[in-house]
Each structure stands twice: as structure tokens, then as C-alpha cells.
Amino acid sequence: MHSQGQLPVHTNEEDPQFGRHHTRHYYMRRVRESLPARVSKVVCGTFVTLLLITGIIVFVLWLSLRPHRPRFYVGDFSIPGLAQPNGFANAQVIFNVTDRNPNQHIGIYYDAMQVTLYYQDQDIGGASLLFPFYQGSKNTTVLYGVLSGATLTVSNQRWMDFQNDLAQGVVVFRLQLTSTIRFKVTTWDSKRHKMHANCDVGVGPDGSILAIYRDKKCPTYFT
Ligand SMILES: *[C@@H]1O[C@H](CO)[C@@H](O)[C@H](O)[C@H]1NC(C)=O
Ligand SMILES: *[C@@H]1O[C@H](CO)[C@@H](O)[C@H](O)[C@H]1NC(C)=O
């Protein structure tokens, strides 16, 4: 008499041929199925790895070659005699803006730069600043100029507006620099981008730029 626990063992022993047969079939089927499967797995794996490596290389190249827009800072801005009530006749606006190319390996071509001065969003003067020029990587260009006479349209009324603002402590202007630029990556030149830098400048009663506006980065955008 067998105990119940031995029953499955006994059944196996009864037909060992069947068990071995089944096993051989099972493995043969597995081998037949897995050979192409394994090959395609290796091919897929290699392909995914290559894709990943290519992706990483492209990403690193993009990170190091991606052009950054130039950076503009107003170093100096002044209107001598701003506090004098009749100063408008001989008014002068003197500006000194720093334009820096922050890119490591990318140069920038600039078309002639246009500078425009705004007061309360009204164009009150401007000039063409430089001839087209090239700015090497990590290089700085000083944009210096004086607006007066024909390049500055300040009426007596507007000068009075300045005086009223000065009574509050500050006259705020906006100096806009516009140029069309191209990036140069080794031998490849990018397409042209129209670039604008908008610098807010606050001037105090002595006619000079206030400290909080000095060397502040001007917002830059493309159109
Ligand atoms: C403009 O500013 C730069 C940097 O602050 C200075 O080196 C340069 O002499 C200034 N140019 C003029 C004409 O004031
Ligand atoms: C900036 O450019 C000028 C003229 O191309 C060059 O002489 C000068 O060495 C450059 N400066 C830097 C820091 O690369």
C-alpha cells in the first residue's frame, strides 16, 4: 500500500519514456524558436546601443556647439546738463554698451547696428552704429556713441517731461540695439537672425546712469 504522498512519484516512474520524450521535444522546440529570436535580440541590442551612443554624441556636440545669443550690458549712459531747464537745445546722449559673444567656438557676424533711443515708447533719436563687423568667440565689442543734433529729437515739451520725472528722482529711457546676425561654427554659417537688445536705463539728476541700471544684462530676442 502506498501513502498518498508517494503517488506522483510512482506515476512518473510508471512512464519514464514519456517524460524524457516530452523533455527532448520541449528543448528542441525551444532551440528552434530561440535561435532567430536570439539573433534578432542581439541585432536589436546592438542597434539600440549604437542609437544611444549616437544620441549621446549628438547631444554633447549640440551642447558644446549650440549658439548662445550675444550679451549686452550698458556700461555708461549720460545726458550732461539734464537738470538744466533750457538744456534741450544742446542736449547730448552719450552711451557705452558692451556687447559680448559668450560662445566658446562660435563667431558672430553683425550687419551694421542700429541704435534707437526711446522715452515712454516713443522714438526720440537714433543712429547707425558700426559697419558690419565680425566678433570672435569670447570676444567683446564696445558700442560707443553720442546722439545729438539731428540724431536726437528732443523738443522743449519733452525736456519738461524729463524735468518732471527728475523731480521723482529718475528718468527712464530704453536703448534698443538692432542688428542682423549670423553665427559662424567653424566653416558653417547659420542663417540670418534679426536681433534686438532692449536696455532700460534710468538716469539721475546729475545726468548719469543710476547704479542699479549699470552693467545689467539687457533682454535680447530675435524676430
Ligand atoms: C566704454 O566702456 C569700456 C568698458 O567699461 C571702456 O573700456 C571704454 O574705455 C569705454 N569707452 C568710452 C569711449 O568711454
Ligand atoms: C577679439 O578680436 C580681436 C580682433 O579680431 C582680436 O585681436 C582679439 O585677440 C580678440 N580677443 C579675444 C579675447 O579673443
Side-chain angles (χ1 to χ4, degrees), residues 33-44:
E33 274 175 5
S34 70
L35 202 63
R38 240 187 292 159
V39 167
S40 68
K41 226 185 256 176
V42 167
V43 168
C44 269

Side-chain angles (χ1 to χ4, degrees), residues 74-76 94-98 140-145 214-215:
V74 179
D76 205 3
I94 304 163
F95 60 87
N96 184 346
V97 178
T98 299
T140 298
T141 306
V142 170
L143 309 170
Y144 175 85
R214 194 189 292 270
D215 292 329

Side-chain angles (χ1 to χ4, degrees), residues 77-80 91-95 117 124 145-148 152 154 173 175:
F77 184 94
S78 62
I79 305 177
Q92 278 195 333
V93 174
I94 304 163
F95 60 87
L117 185 66
I124 62 164
V146 180
L147 301 176
S148 65
L152 190 65
V154 181
F173 298 93
L175 195 66

Side-chain angles (χ1 to χ4, degrees), residues 89-158:
N90 303 309
Q92 278 195 333
V93 174
I94 304 163
F95 60 87
N96 184 346
V97 178
T98 299
D99 167 13
R100 179 166 170 72
N101 175 5
N103 296 289
Q104 189 86 56
H105 305 291
I106 299 174
I108 303 175
Y109 291 107
Y110 293 78
D111 284 356
M113 195 172 294
Q114 182 67 32
V115 57
T116 313
L117 185 66
Y118 292 91
Y119 171 72
Q120 291 181 347
D121 280 331
Q122 289 184 16
D123 181 341
I124 62 164
S128 189
L129 250 196
L130 295 169
F131 297 106
F133 67 102
Y134 176 74
Q135 189 179 44
S137 62
K138 294 280 178 196
N139 218 321
T140 298
T141 306
V142 170
L143 309 170
Y144 175 85
V146 180
L147 301 176
S148 65
T151 56
L152 190 65
T153 50
V154 181
S155 61
N156 192 21
Q157 180 52 48
R158 196 155 275 146

Side-chain angles (χ1 to χ4, degrees), residues 50-70:
L50 280 179
L51 208 67
L52 219 81
I53 290 171
T54 310
I56 289 168
I57 289 171
V58 166
F59 182 66
V60 167
L61 275 179
W62 177 77
L63 274 188
S64 61
L65 293 181
R66 168 180 60 134
H68 294 280
R69 55 191 74 179

